[in-house]
Amino acid sequence: MTDITPSHDLFRPKLSRSETKAEITDRSARSIIEAEAKLRERKTEKLRQARLESKERKDLASLPTQKRAAKVIEPKGTVTPSTKYCSGDEVIT
Protein backbone atom coordinates (compact mmCIF):
# COMPACT_ATOMS: atom_id res chain seq x y z
CA MET A 1 0.00 0.00 0.00
CA THR A 2 1.20 3.38 -0.86
CA ASP A 3 0.87 6.20 1.63
CA ILE A 4 -0.06 9.45 -0.10
CA THR A 5 1.20 12.52 1.71
CA PRO A 6 -0.41 15.89 1.09
CA SER A 7 1.74 18.43 -0.72
CA HIS A 8 1.94 20.78 2.27
CA ASP A 9 3.51 17.99 4.36
CA LEU A 10 5.87 16.79 1.65
CA PHE A 11 8.86 18.96 2.52
CA ARG A 12 8.08 19.59 6.15
CA PRO A 13 10.10 17.47 8.55
CA LYS A 14 8.12 15.48 11.06
CA LEU A 15 8.44 16.87 14.56
CA SER A 16 9.11 14.67 17.50
CA ARG A 17 6.47 14.39 20.19
CA SER A 18 8.36 16.69 22.59
CA GLU A 19 8.87 19.30 19.86
CA THR A 20 5.17 19.21 19.05
CA LYS A 21 4.26 19.78 22.70
CA ALA A 22 6.80 22.59 22.95
CA GLU A 23 5.35 24.17 19.82
CA ILE A 24 1.82 23.98 21.23
CA THR A 25 2.97 25.49 24.54
CA ASP A 26 4.88 28.23 22.74
CA ARG A 27 1.89 29.12 20.58
CA SER A 28 -0.42 29.21 23.63
CA ALA A 29 1.99 31.34 25.64
CA ARG A 30 2.46 33.80 22.79
CA SER A 31 -1.29 34.19 22.31
CA ILE A 32 -1.79 34.81 26.06
CA ILE A 33 1.04 37.36 26.13
CA GLU A 34 -0.37 39.10 23.05
CA ALA A 35 -3.85 39.29 24.61
CA GLU A 36 -2.42 40.73 27.83
CA ALA A 37 -0.44 43.32 25.87
CA LYS A 38 -3.59 44.43 24.03
CA LEU A 39 -5.47 44.78 27.33
CA ARG A 40 -2.59 46.75 28.82
CA GLU A 41 -2.47 49.10 25.82
CA ARG A 42 -6.23 49.72 26.02
CA LYS A 43 -6.00 50.43 29.74
CA THR A 44 -3.04 52.78 29.23
CA GLU A 45 -4.91 54.68 26.52
CA LYS A 46 -8.00 54.97 28.73
CA LEU A 47 -5.93 56.29 31.65
CA ARG A 48 -4.07 58.71 29.38
CA GLN A 49 -7.36 60.07 28.07
CA ALA A 50 -8.72 60.47 31.62
CA ARG A 51 -5.54 62.28 32.68
CA LEU A 52 -5.74 64.69 29.75
CA GLU A 53 -9.42 65.43 30.43
CA SER A 54 -8.67 66.01 34.11
CA LYS A 55 -5.80 68.33 33.25
CA GLU A 56 -8.02 70.20 30.79
CA ARG A 57 -10.73 70.69 33.42
CA LYS A 58 -8.14 71.83 35.94
CA ASP A 59 -6.71 74.35 33.45
CA LEU A 60 -10.17 75.70 32.67
CA ALA A 61 -10.97 76.03 36.37
CA SER A 62 -7.74 77.91 37.06
CA LEU A 63 -8.40 80.53 34.38
CA PRO A 64 -9.33 83.87 35.92
CA THR A 65 -12.94 84.75 35.35
CA GLN A 66 -13.81 88.28 34.42
CA LYS A 67 -15.83 89.80 37.22
CA ARG A 68 -17.91 92.92 36.90
CA ALA A 69 -16.77 95.79 39.02
CA ALA A 70 -19.12 96.27 41.91
CA LYS A 71 -20.97 99.55 41.83
CA VAL A 72 -20.09 101.46 44.95
CA ILE A 73 -22.98 103.41 46.38
CA GLU A 74 -21.83 106.10 48.74
CA PRO A 75 -24.20 107.62 51.25
CA LYS A 76 -25.19 111.23 50.68
CA GLY A 77 -23.02 113.79 52.29
CA THR A 78 -19.75 111.93 51.94
CA VAL A 79 -16.89 113.61 50.17
CA THR A 80 -14.48 111.62 48.09
CA PRO A 81 -11.15 112.98 46.91
CA SER A 82 -12.46 113.35 43.36
CA THR A 83 -15.48 115.49 44.25
CA LYS A 84 -15.72 119.00 45.61
CA TYR A 85 -18.84 120.57 46.98
CA CYS A 86 -19.98 124.07 46.32
CA SER A 87 -22.79 125.87 47.96
CA GLY A 88 -26.02 123.94 48.01
CA ASP A 89 -26.34 120.45 46.65
CA GLU A 90 -24.53 120.77 43.35
CA VAL A 91 -21.39 118.74 42.94
CA ILE A 92 -18.40 119.83 40.90
CA THR A 93 -16.01 117.15 39.67
Side-chain angles (χ1 to χ4, degrees), residues 84-91:
K84 298 178 185 175
Y85 285 94
C86 293
S87 61
D89 286 337
E90 64 183 86
V91 176

Side-chain angles (χ1 to χ4, degrees), residues 4-81:
I4 301 176
T5 53
S7 62
H8 65 278
D9 284 340
L10 185 63
F11 298 109
R12 191 169 148 198
K14 299 291 182 190
L15 299 175
S16 68
R17 190 172 188 190
S18 62
E19 287 175 330
T20 305
K21 286 184 179 182
E23 189 177 276
I24 292 169
T25 304
D26 183 55
R27 204 174 321 124
S28 298
R30 288 182 189 274
S31 67
I32 291 170
I33 291 169
E34 185 178 326
E36 289 175 348
K38 285 181 183 180
L39 284 173
R40 187 175 53 249
E41 288 172 7
R42 275 190 257 148
K43 183 179 178 183
T44 302
E45 184 60 35
K46 184 179 175 182
L47 290 172
R48 179 180 293 124
Q49 189 67 28
R51 186 187 73 236
L52 291 175
E53 288 174 3
S54 174
K55 185 178 180 183
E56 205 172 282
R57 277 181 281 170
K58 188 177 180 182
D59 289 345
L60 287 177
S62 67
L63 289 177
T65 56
Q66 189 176 19
K67 296 182 180 179
R68 291 179 58 188
K71 188 174 183 180
V72 178
I73 301 174
E74 296 179 13
K76 285 189 174 183
T78 58
V79 178
T80 59

